[in-house]
């Protein structure tokens, strides 16, 4: 595989940190952030605030970072390798999301949020940082970031290029939309070793379920599925339902020979959300992180049902992809997620 340095990159040196899902694209002019009237998803006041963040320019660099005790690299991957299946995907992409992303490319000139890729090669990035003087660094409690250029950047890229393929952890829609956008040949990527990342499930939340409706749902579930101990750790094929002080754990039905390889989320979507709840669109379901689920369960007084599945382990994740199986959207949650609006990669 071939990788490239960030040809013209910027680093947000304002000291401000933003969540991973905050901003994917930005506009940079005269070495400054320059959101203008074409940016519709931000109001005027917020654009003015973000435009004040100070950024520093770099040429032909690679970034090594440590985030939540996980080491990774930020550089560019070739969209050509994505088209040639050297970058392996595992989730369906949605056409309406792709169309929206394609229209956005024309208004911006910089990526502000890397896609997340995984690989199996063992790299000792901490040792590399200890032995090699960086061009620039940021060292905060939550994040340490080191910028390398020239020969040192090439050394990092050469180590990564020994991988025959990468796995996509986050950014399926950005990669697919870029593959359709002919003015862009690379995608800024945050690349982790498999052992540096954690995989969590993505719980579902269904709102406004009355007590009467809840009792109907529970009766249907008990008639369809095998009930399990509510205190046991969730395993593949199992679901835990929460409603106020009530907990119900059950086993999903196995389906022989299905395209999704008995993926838990596919079975949850078809056997429970569609068949039991009669919900057929994602706008009837909210998606949470495990952290958010735990927080909401501490004070669960609303008429909401929560559905939790087991996390997919790393071996199953790799085998699912290598066997050519595809997972539904929102099947896996990878962490840590690199902040958005911290590293910028200009593409035009």
């Amino acid at each position: 595989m071939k990788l490239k340095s960030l040809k013209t990159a910027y680093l947000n040196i304002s000291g401000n940190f933003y969540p991973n899902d905050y901003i994917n694209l930005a506009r940079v002019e005269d070495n400054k952030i320059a959101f203008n009237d074409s940016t519709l998803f931000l109001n005027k006041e917020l654009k003015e605030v973000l435009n004040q963040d100070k950024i520093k320019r770099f040429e032909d660099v690679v970034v090594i970072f440590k985030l939540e005790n996980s080491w990774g690299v930020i550089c560019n991957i070739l969209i050509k390798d994505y088209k040639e299946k050297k970058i392996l995907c595992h989730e369906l992409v949605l056409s309406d999301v792709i169309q929206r992303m394609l229209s956005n490319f024309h208004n911006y000139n910089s990526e502000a949020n890397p896609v997340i890729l995984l690989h199996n090669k063992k790299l000792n990035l901490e040792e590399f940082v200890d032995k090699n003087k960086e061009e620039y660094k940021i060292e905060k409690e939550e994040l340490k970031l080191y910028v390398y250029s020239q020969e040192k950047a090439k050394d990092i890229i050469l180590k990564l290029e020994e991988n025959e393929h990468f796995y996509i952890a986050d950014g399926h829609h950005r990669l697919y939309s870029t593959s359709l956008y002919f003015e862009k040949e690379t995608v800024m990527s945050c690349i982790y070793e498999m052992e540096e990342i954690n995989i969590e499930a993505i719980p579902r939340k269904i709102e406004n379920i009355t007590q009467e409706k809840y009792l109907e749902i529970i009766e249907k579930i008990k008639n369809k599925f095998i009930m399990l101990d509510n205190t046991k750790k969730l395993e593949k094929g199992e679901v835990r339902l929460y409603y106020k002080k009530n907990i119900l754990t059950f086993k999903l039905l196995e389906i022989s020979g299905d395209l999704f390889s008995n993926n838990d989320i596919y079975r949850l979507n078809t056997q429970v959300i569609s068949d039991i709840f009669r919900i057929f669109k994602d706008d009837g379901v909210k998606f949470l992180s495990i952290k958010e689920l735990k927080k909401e369960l501490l004070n669960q007084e609303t008429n909401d049902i929560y559905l939790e599945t087991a996390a997919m382990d790393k071996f199953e994740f790799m085998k699912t992809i290598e066997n050519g199986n595809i997972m539904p959207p929102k099947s896996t949650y990878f962490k840590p997620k690199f902040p958005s609006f911290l590293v910028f990669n200009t593409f035009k």
Side-chain angles (χ1 to χ4, degrees):
M1 283 193 62
K2 284 291 183 184
L3 294 98
K4 289 181 176 285
S5 61
L6 307 180
K7 186 175 181 182
T8 300
Y10 293 87
L11 197 60
N12 190 329
I13 59 172
S14 67
N16 298 324
F17 285 88
Y18 303 92
N20 168 266
D21 57 357
Y22 189 55
I23 292 175
N24 288 334
L25 296 170
R27 185 161 195 86
V28 176
E29 295 177 357
D30 299 324
N31 297 325
K32 294 180 181 179
I33 298 167
F35 286 119
N36 54 32
D37 292 341
S38 65
T39 301
L40 302 178
F41 67 93
L42 299 170
N43 61 39
K44 180 180 178 181
E45 291 73 22
L46 190 50
K47 280 187 277 191
E48 289 176 354
V49 170
L50 292 173
N51 285 348
Q52 295 304 309
D53 275 10
K54 293 183 179 179
I55 57 176
K56 182 176 176 62
R57 179 171 176 153
F58 298 92
E59 300 290 337
D60 292 316
V61 297
V62 169
V63 175
I64 292 179
F65 66 89
K66 182 184 181 184
L67 176 64
E68 298 178 20
N69 293 318
S70 294
W71 287 88
V73 176
I74 295 179
C75 62
N76 274 325
I77 59 99
L78 298 176
I79 202 64
K80 175 176 174 288
D81 285 333
Y82 171 75
K83 291 180 176 179
E84 294 178 356
K85 310 299 183 185
K86 295 177 183 177
I87 299 168
L88 305 178
C89 65
H90 70 277
E91 282 192 6
L92 291 173
V93 295
L94 305 176
S95 59
D96 57 335
V97 177
I98 297 301
Q99 291 182 65
R100 188 164 63 249
M101 285 186 163
L102 280 171
S103 65
N104 280 341
F105 280 135
H106 301 287
N107 297 324
Y108 304 98
N109 64 1
S110 300
E111 296 168 286
N113 187 8
V115 303
I116 301 177
L117 305 179
L118 308 177
H119 65 89
N120 270 325
K121 182 176 174 56
K122 184 64 181 174
L123 300 177
N124 196 331
L125 296 175
E126 184 173 12
E127 181 180 330
F128 185 93
V129 169
D130 288 341
K131 291 182 176 180
N132 293 276
K133 177 65 177 175
E134 70 284 338
E135 181 175 330
Y136 188 85
K137 67 180 178 181
I138 293 175
E139 291 189 317
K140 302 282 187 179
E141 183 178 351
E142 65 271 37
L143 175 71
K144 300 184 187 304
L145 188 149
Y146 308 91
V147 178
Y148 292 96
S149 61
Q150 300 177 358
E151 294 304 315
K152 293 174 184 176
K154 290 179 182 178
D155 287 345
I156 300 167
I157 285 175
L158 285 172
K159 292 179 185 298
L160 286 169
E161 285 182 341
E162 293 176 11
N163 288 286
E164 293 183 4
H165 57 257
F166 292 118
Y167 305 90
I168 305 170
D170 186 70
H172 290 81
H173 288 89
R174 278 174 280 165
L175 281 163
Y176 191 89
S177 59
T178 302
S179 73
L180 303 176
Y181 185 66
F182 298 109
E183 293 184 38
K184 199 166 177 291
E185 297 180 348
T186 63
V187 175
M188 181 171 65
S189 301
C190 165
I191 304 175
Y192 288 105
E193 295 174 38
M194 190 69 72
E195 293 306 311
E196 295 286 336
I197 202 88
N198 294 307
I199 305 178
E200 291 184 353
I202 301 179
R204 270 61 174 164
K205 177 182 179 180
I206 302 173
E207 297 179 321
N208 301 320
I209 303 296
T210 64
Q211 180 69 25
E212 182 181 10
K213 183 67 174 176
Y214 166 73
L215 293 174
E216 292 178 6
I217 288 168
I218 293 305
E219 183 178 0
K220 289 180 181 179
I221 288 175
K222 288 182 176 180
N223 288 334
K224 183 173 182 176
F225 303 106
I226 296 173
M227 298 300 105
L228 302 171
D229 183 356
N230 289 329
T231 62
K232 75 183 293 292
K233 181 180 178 182
L234 283 175
E235 299 178 9
K236 178 177 170 59
E238 299 174 357
V239 176
R240 184 156 289 146
L241 180 151
Y242 303 90
Y243 181 78
K244 296 183 177 178
K245 300 297 182 180
N246 303 294
I247 302 175
L248 188 72
T249 307
F250 56 94
K251 186 173 181 62
L252 294 166
L253 305 176
E254 291 195 12
I255 304 171
S256 60
D258 79 274
L259 175 64
F260 293 89
S261 187
N262 278 309
N263 173 268
D264 281 6
I265 299 304
Y266 170 66
R267 289 191 283 170
L268 176 69
N269 288 344
T270 55
Q271 297 176 22
V272 181
I273 294 176
S274 295
D275 191 30
I276 302 293
F277 286 87
R278 311 305 294 166
I279 295 174
F280 302 98
K281 293 184 178 180
D282 277 351
D283 53 11
V285 179
K286 290 193 174 180
F287 304 97
L288 307 176
S289 66
I290 292 294
K291 182 178 179 180
E292 290 169 332
L293 173 66
K294 290 178 178 178
K295 183 178 179 181
E296 295 202 16
L297 289 179
L298 290 174
N299 186 29
Q300 191 184 351
E301 297 179 355
T302 58
N303 291 333
D304 302 327
I305 280 181
Y306 300 86
L307 299 169
E308 180 185 10
T309 57
M312 177 176 283
D313 65 43
K314 295 173 184 177
F315 177 79
E316 183 186 359
F317 169 75
M318 289 186 292
K319 285 301 177 185
T320 296
I321 297 175
E322 290 167 4
N323 289 338
N325 294 310
I326 296 295
M327 304 179 205
K330 305 293 185 182
S331 289
T332 50
Y333 182 91
F334 292 85
K335 57 182 295 190
K337 294 187 181 293
F338 194 82
S340 72
F341 216 64
L342 177 58
V343 177
F344 302 83
N345 176 50
T346 59
F347 56 85
K348 65 178 179 179

